[in-house]
């Protein structure tokens, strides 16, 4: 397969206006292809729209303009469930504010997408993911007892 993982064309996002405020244009005319195996870093000053771009390219926020194709599928043509399935199966997302589930341990948080997909949890894979980021010793701790970086 040589299709692009992501094909973004002329993406634009204007945040709706708050009361008595003008709408906020955040993204304009962004086109980007990401190929299989490619590493891409999006860099820019605080407030320049990096998080908004990531939300739009994963379907978490609808763009105001342009198209996003993930694995060849136009996100706008998929309903929310289909979009969520695509993300669950193919996207790893670390939010700026983490969004970990506080009642689950670190290992259970790592395994959550597989659980939502009703797949058998591969304990060795969870352990190796935690170990890759130096967190073997914290597998059974809940997010509230972890450091910011952990
Ligand atoms: N819901 C919203 N309504 C209005 N404006 C918003 C909203 N969310 C973000 N913005 C504005 O959009 C711009 C881009 O925000 P965004 O969070 O994408 O920036 P960022 O590049 O991720 O910044 P940082 O490096 O600080 O994380 C900012 O000016 C922000 O104030
Ligand atoms: Mg951000």
């Amino acid at each position: 397969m040589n299709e692009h993982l992501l094909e973004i064309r002329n993406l634009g996002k204007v945040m709706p206006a708050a009361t008595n405020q003008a709408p906020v244009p955040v993204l304009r005319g962004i086109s980007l292809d990401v190929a299989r195996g490619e590493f891409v870093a999006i860099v820019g000053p605080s407030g320049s729209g990096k998080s908004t771009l990531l939300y739009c390219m994963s379907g978490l926020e609808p763009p105001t303009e342009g198209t996003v194709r993930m694995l060849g599928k136009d996100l706008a043509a998929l309903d929310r469930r289909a979009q969520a399935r695509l993300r669950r199966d193919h996207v790893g997302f670390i939010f700026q504010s983490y969004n970990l589930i506080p009642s689950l341990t670190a290992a259970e948080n790592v395994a959550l997408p597989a659980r939502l997909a009703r797949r058998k949890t591969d304990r060795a894979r969870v352990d190796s993911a935690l170990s890759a980021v130096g967190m073997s010793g914290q597998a059974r701790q809940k997010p509230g007892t972890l450091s910011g970086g952990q």
Side-chain angles (χ1 to χ4, degrees):
M1 285 212 293
N2 58 3
E3 82 200 356
H4 282 114
L5 299 182
L6 277 171
E7 292 172 310
I8 298 165
R9 289 293 170 278
N10 196 32
L11 187 77
K13 177 75 178 175
V14 179
M15 293 297 185
T19 318
N20 295 328
Q21 305 277 314
V24 185
V26 178
L27 305 173
R28 191 178 53 219
I30 294 179
S31 296
L32 169 73
D33 286 344
V34 181
R36 206 165 278 273
E38 191 174 16
F39 279 79
V40 177
I42 297 161
V43 257
S46 200
S48 60
K50 304 177 297 292
S51 291
T52 306
L53 176 58
L54 290 173
Y55 293 154
C56 288
M57 65 168 71
S58 61
L60 290 174
E61 278 272 359
T64 333
E65 214 189 316
T67 55
V68 176
R69 298 177 75 82
M70 185 186 287
L71 292 163
K73 296 192 176 85
D74 182 355
L75 290 186
L78 303 177
D79 64 19
R80 291 183 67 81
R81 284 180 78 86
Q83 283 190 8
R85 231 174 354 247
L86 196 61
R87 269 197 303 275
R88 182 193 73 195
D89 292 341
H90 298 287
V91 180
F93 214 115
I94 299 173
F95 289 92
Q96 193 154 1
S97 54
Y98 306 121
N99 292 342
L100 295 166
I101 309 290
S103 58
L104 300 181
T105 65
E108 288 165 346
N109 269 285
V110 171
L112 187 59
R115 197 172 140 197
L116 292 173
R118 297 199 173 81
R119 265 186 243 133
K120 205 165 157 291
T121 304
D122 184 340
R123 197 53 229 220
R125 242 182 117 189
V126 171
D127 288 347
S128 108
L130 285 168
S131 146
V133 293
M135 283 187 58
S136 306
Q138 284 77 34
R140 299 167 71 88
Q141 285 176 229
K142 293 184 177 166
T145 69
L146 300 173
S147 75
Q150 285 173 337

